[in-house]
Every structure is written in structure tokens, then in C-alpha cells.
């Protein structure tokens, strides 16, 4: 029987602190559990110097531009990330998703706990899955949806859960077609745009089918943002992530030689970033983006992340362009095997499949 993405993620047996978020409404000082030891890397001073040097920021690309393939390819090679405009996702739908996310996160803690992710589960309310890899906890709460949100939404609003589910379903449909469109453009930029050729090779044919997850993220305003971490540094595991952020700064990406660089909200734009599987497919021509979120002491940040990947049972391997001589940098790997490696080894997972 086929493995679903949620089954692929369902493997760990976690302690309660690695599932249950803090009750942010009752906390007025940063608890010890959430106070990270400050290194230069994390300090606001280091961050400030880099901001004052006004580093270049990720490009904003119009999806209708005649040069879209080249622009996206260049952005992914240089940054592993870009912001996209004219994407045809109605702003009213994005606003609806954010409103429903805000409504969910503003529920009392004891109610949110009714929709808690189970210790071996992948969906529902909880802290970030990467939490067990860090000794301190993050200033963050999340809600993960794979397919329908009904099971958990029903626990929150027994009689009024349909609207929440409809909005999330509509958004996921729009995201799926946008992600597919962008994937085709990126494959074209890599010189592997001939679908018929690719489909003869069973590993890459699976790129044209998909499985996905939607993650609602909440970062309440924080009493001591200098010592707190919203979301710890990580790379996303699947092919592509499409992210909406509200008008509150916080997302940063790590660039060799520059350090942490903010990705400011651009009204109406969606952020697209390369994940580990796309890094593999591109044979490391596109970097997977190491990113984090820093909290804010006055504003509440919300973000909506859509993770797009191939089916869990499919195989991912470097797609080599016919016009360049390339040596594969990774061995073929089943998506579910890679997710298992990531769950166990986090940042080491990519090294483990390198050839
Ligand atoms: C499909 C998924 C990607 C994700 C794990 C998840 O099951 C749903 C949540 C996603 C997320 C969001 C925060 C950062 C991240 C690393 C995490 O801990 O959970 C990503 C996961 C990922 O990209 O592996
Ligand atoms: O909130 C953000 O901007 C980042 C979210 C993120 O990195 C994720 O959900 O994987
Ligand atoms: Fe991420």
C-alpha cells in the first residue's frame, strides 16, 4: 500500500515539551526554557551591523515576465529563494487563511490542546518538529494540515469547522497549481524541461505528481526578543516551499560571507524557497535555504507555509542537463527514506546521501 506523507513523518516518540507549545497569554517574562544562550551569531548587534550594511535582498520576480525562466533560475542558483508577484492567488483568499489562522491561535490554550498533534502524528497543533534537536524551546506555535483539516478543526469548533476547512482546501488547491507551475519553470531553467524524456525515467516521472502540507505559524510578540528564537535555523525538506508572511519582519536566510539576511515582507508577494529535495534534483545547482525566524517585541508574526513534494514512495535523484557534463552528487533516495533521515539526523541528512 502507498505511504502517505503524513505516514512518512509519523515516526517519533516525543516528550510533551516537544509537542505542547507555551501558553503565551500567561507569560510576561522569557522563561528559562526559552532563553537561548547568545552567541555572536544570534546577537541582535551582529544582526544590526549586517542590516546597516544593507546587503542585497532576494529578488522579486513577476510570474508574467517574458524572462521568468532565466530570472527564477538565476535567483535559485544565487539565493535558493525569490519572491513572486502576479501569481494569481487572490489576496482575499490569502487574507482569509491568515484570519482563520489568527482565530485558531487566539483560542484559549486548553482548547488548542484538544487539537494537539499526537506523539507519533504529523498533523494538528504543536511546536515545530525540529524542536527535539535543540536544548531550548522556540517562541512559536504551529498547526499542520495534510489533506483535510477536518479531524483537528472539529475538535476546536465542533459545530463550525467547515468554513475553516474550506478556506484551507481552497488555498491548498491554489498553492498546488502555483507550485507545479514554478517547478516546471525551474526544471526548464535546469535544462531538463522535456517531460516525455523525463517520464521514461521512473524516478523523475514522480516529480509530476505531488503530496503537500500546509503549516500555519504563529510567533507572538516576545518580552525579550534578543534572547529568544522564533524558529531555529533549518532547511525545508521537500521540493519547494511557498510562504506568505504578514507585515511583521522576522524571516532571515543565511548567506555565506554575509551572514543572516532579512527577507522583508513585500505586499502581495509570496516567497518561494528551494528545499532539500530540489537541491538533490538540481544536483546541488540550487542551494537549499538555511533560514530562521527572529521574534519581535511588539508585533505578532503569522506565516503560512505550503510544502510541496513528490509522493512519499517515489524516488528522487539528480536530474542532469543534457547540455552540461555533470557527475551526480547524490544517490537516488526514496522520499520517505529521506524524511526518515532528516527526522533522525537533521542537517546531516544531505551528507548521508552524497556520493
Ligand atoms: C511536510 C512537512 C514539512 C515540515 C514537517 C511537515 O511535516 C510539516 C511541518 C513542516 C515544518 C515547518 C517548520 C520547519 C520544519 C523543518 C518543521 O519542523 O516542521 C518544517 C518541516 C520540513 O520541511 O521538514
Ligand atoms: O515564519 C516564517 O517565515 C518561516 C516558516 C518556516 O520556515 C517554515 O514553516 O518552515
Ligand atoms: Fe522553513
Amino acid at each position: 500500500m502507498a505511504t502517505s506523507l503524513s505516514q512518512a513523518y509519523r515516526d517519533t516518540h516525543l516528550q510533551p515539551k516537544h509537542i505542547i507549545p507555551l501558553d503565551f497569554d500567561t507569560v510576561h517574562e522569557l522563561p528559562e526554557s526559552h532563553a537561548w544562550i547568545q552567541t555572536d551569531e544570534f546577537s541582535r548587534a551582529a544582526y544590526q551591523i549586517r542590516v546597516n550594511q544593507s546587503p542585497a535582498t532576494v529578488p522579486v520576480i513577476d510570474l508574467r515576465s517574458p524572462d521568468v525562466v532565466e530570472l527564477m533560475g538565476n535567483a535559485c542558483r544565487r539565493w535558493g529563494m525569490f519572491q513572486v508577484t502576479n501569481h494569481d492567488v487572490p489576496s482575499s483568499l490569502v487574507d482569509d487563511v491568515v484570519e482563520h489562522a489568527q482565530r485558531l491561535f487566539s483560542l484559549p490554550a486548553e482548547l488548542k490542546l484538544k487539537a494537539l498533534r499526537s506523539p507519533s502524528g504529523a498533523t494538528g497543533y504543536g511546536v515545530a518538529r525540529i524542536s527535539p534537536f535543540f536544548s531550548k524551546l522556540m517562541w512559536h506555535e504551529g498547526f499542520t494540515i495534510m489533506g483535510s483539516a477536518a479531524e483537528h478543526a472539529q475538535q476546536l469548533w465542533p459545530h463550525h469547522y467547515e468554513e475553516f476547512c474550506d478556506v484551507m482546501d481552497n488555498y491548498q488547491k491554489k498553492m498546488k497549481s502555483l507550485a507545479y507551475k514554478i517547478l516546471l519553470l525551474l526544471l526548464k531553467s535546469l535544462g531538463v524541461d522535456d517531460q516525455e524524456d523525463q517520464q521514461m525515467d521512473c524516478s523523475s516521472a514522480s516529480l509530476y505528481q505531488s503530496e503537500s502540507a500546509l503549516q500555519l505559524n504563529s510567533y507572538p510578540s516576545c518580552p525579550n526578543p534578543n534572547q529568544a528564537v522564533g524558529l531555529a535555523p533549518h532547511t525545508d525538506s521537500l521540493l519547494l516551499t511557498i510562504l506568505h508572511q504578514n507585515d511583521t519582519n522576522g524571516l532571515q536566510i543565511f548567506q555565506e560571507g554575509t551572514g543572516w539576511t532579512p527577507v522583508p515582507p513585500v505586499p502581495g508577494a509570496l516567497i518561494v524557497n528551494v528545499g532539500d529535495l530540489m537541491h538533490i534534483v538540481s544536483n546541488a545547482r540550487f542551494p537549499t535555504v538555511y533560514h530562521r525566524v527572529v521574534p519581535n517585541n511588539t508585533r505578532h508574526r503569522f506565516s503560512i507555509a505550503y510544502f510541496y513534494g513528490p509522493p512519499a514512495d517515489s524516488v528522487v535523484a539528480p536530474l542532469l542537463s543534457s547540455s552540461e557534463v555533470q557527475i551526480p552528487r547524490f544517490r537516488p533516495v526514496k522520499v520517505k527514506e529521506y524524511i526518515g533521515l532528516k527526522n533522525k539526523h537533521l542537517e546531516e541528512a544531505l551528507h548521508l546521501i552524497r556520493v
Side-chain angles (χ1 to χ4, degrees):
M1 219 179 66
T3 315
S4 66
L5 193 59
S6 60
Q7 282 165 331
Y9 272 99
R10 192 180 295 159
D11 72 336
T12 38
H13 296 278
L14 302 169
Q15 300 168 37
K17 71 172 182 179
H18 292 137
I19 308 175
I20 306 174
L22 189 63
D23 178 359
F24 294 100
D25 290 339
T26 60
V27 176
H28 304 293
E29 275 175 24
L30 192 70
E32 199 43 45
S33 54
H34 288 66
W36 293 56
I37 295 158
Q38 294 303 294
T39 61
D40 245 14
E41 190 97 304
F42 268 96
S43 84
R44 200 45 77 108
Y47 166 73
Q48 206 56 47
I49 290 163
R50 284 169 188 139
V51 171
N52 291 343
Q53 285 170 346
S54 55
T57 50
V58 301
V60 180
I61 298 174
D62 181 344
L63 192 56
R64 296 188 196 147
S65 161
D67 305 321
V68 68
V69 171
E70 199 189 339
L71 293 170
M72 280 187 184
N74 289 343
C76 285
R77 268 181 272 268
R78 157 79 174 82
W79 297 90
M81 185 183 257
F82 54 88
Q83 305 216 38
V84 66
T85 58
N86 276 322
H87 43 63
D88 282 341
V89 181
S91 59
S92 57
L93 178 58
V94 179
D95 294 346
D96 272 2
V97 174
V98 174
E99 244 172 63
H100 279 82
Q102 287 171 333
R103 194 159 67 95
L104 187 158
F105 291 119
S106 65
L107 293 171
E110 63 277 13
L111 191 52
K112 288 187 277 193
L113 292 184
K114 289 186 188 261
L116 195 65
R117 195 169 74 221
S118 84
S120 60
T123 57
Y125 177 67
V127 304
R129 294 190 68 90
I130 49 174
S131 300
F133 290 95
F134 301 90
S135 57
K136 295 291 177 172
L137 297 168
M138 301 172 212
W139 200 258
H140 165 267
E141 53 185 336
F143 186 85
T144 309
I145 300 167
M146 291 181 182
S148 164
E151 183 198 338
H152 289 107
Q154 227 164 339
Q155 288 154 336
L156 298 173
W157 304 286
H159 306 294
H160 310 281
Y161 64 94
E162 282 101 344
E163 197 189 324
F164 179 89
C165 296
D166 289 348
V167 170
M168 298 304 152
D169 284 351
N170 290 340
Y171 190 72
Q172 290 187 85
K173 276 187 201 136
K174 283 284 182 190
M175 286 294 120
K176 184 177 171 171
S177 69
L178 177 61
Y180 185 67
K181 212 181 264 178
I182 293 171
L183 175 67
L184 294 185
L185 294 168
L186 292 180
L187 292 179
K188 203 169 195 176
S189 82
L190 290 169
V192 284
D193 59 325
D194 188 332
Q195 275 202 36
E196 274 178 25
D197 272 7
Q198 294 310 325
Q199 274 164 1
M200 288 195 294
D201 164 356
C202 66
S203 61
S204 51
S206 57
L207 283 184
Y208 301 99
Q209 292 156 13
S210 68
E211 281 211 60
S212 61
L214 189 66
Q215 169 82 9
L216 315 180
N217 291 309
S218 155
Y219 310 88
S221 59
C222 176
N224 188 350
N226 292 337
Q227 274 193 22
V229 168
L231 197 54
H234 66 279
T235 61
D236 295 341
S237 307
L238 304 185
L239 284 171
L240 294 173
T241 305
I242 304 182
L243 183 90
H244 164 78
Q245 49 178 347
N246 74 340
D247 56 359
T248 301
N249 287 319
L251 177 62
Q252 301 179 345
I253 59 173
F254 191 80
Q255 291 275 291
E256 279 312 324
T258 313
W260 288 105
T261 306
V263 185
V266 171
L270 292 165
I271 295 167
V272 178
N273 72 264
V274 168
D276 298 348
L277 297 184
M278 192 66 196
H279 177 65
I280 297 168
V281 166
S282 74
N283 203 27
R285 285 174 285 173
F286 296 161
T288 181
V289 185
Y290 196 52
H291 56 286
R292 69 177 186 182
V293 175
V294 295
N296 187 294
N297 81 343
T298 53
R299 297 181 62 90
H300 193 146
R301 175 184 171 84
F302 294 95
S303 73
I304 315 292
Y306 176 81
F307 301 92
Y308 181 83
D313 284 316
S314 59
V315 177
V316 161
L319 290 182
L320 306 178
S321 143
S322 43
S323 59
E324 284 171 58
V325 180
Q326 286 175 59
I327 297 158
R329 307 260 301 262
F330 301 97
R331 68 164 168 85
V333 63
K334 264 199 178 176
V335 172
K336 67 179 178 195
E337 185 201 349
Y338 184 73
I339 291 171
L341 289 172
K342 188 84 185 265
N343 283 345
K344 226 168 163 185
H345 304 283
L346 199 66
E347 283 167 29
E348 295 310 307
L350 277 174
H351 296 286
L352 295 173
I353 57 161
R354 211 155 258 168
V355 286

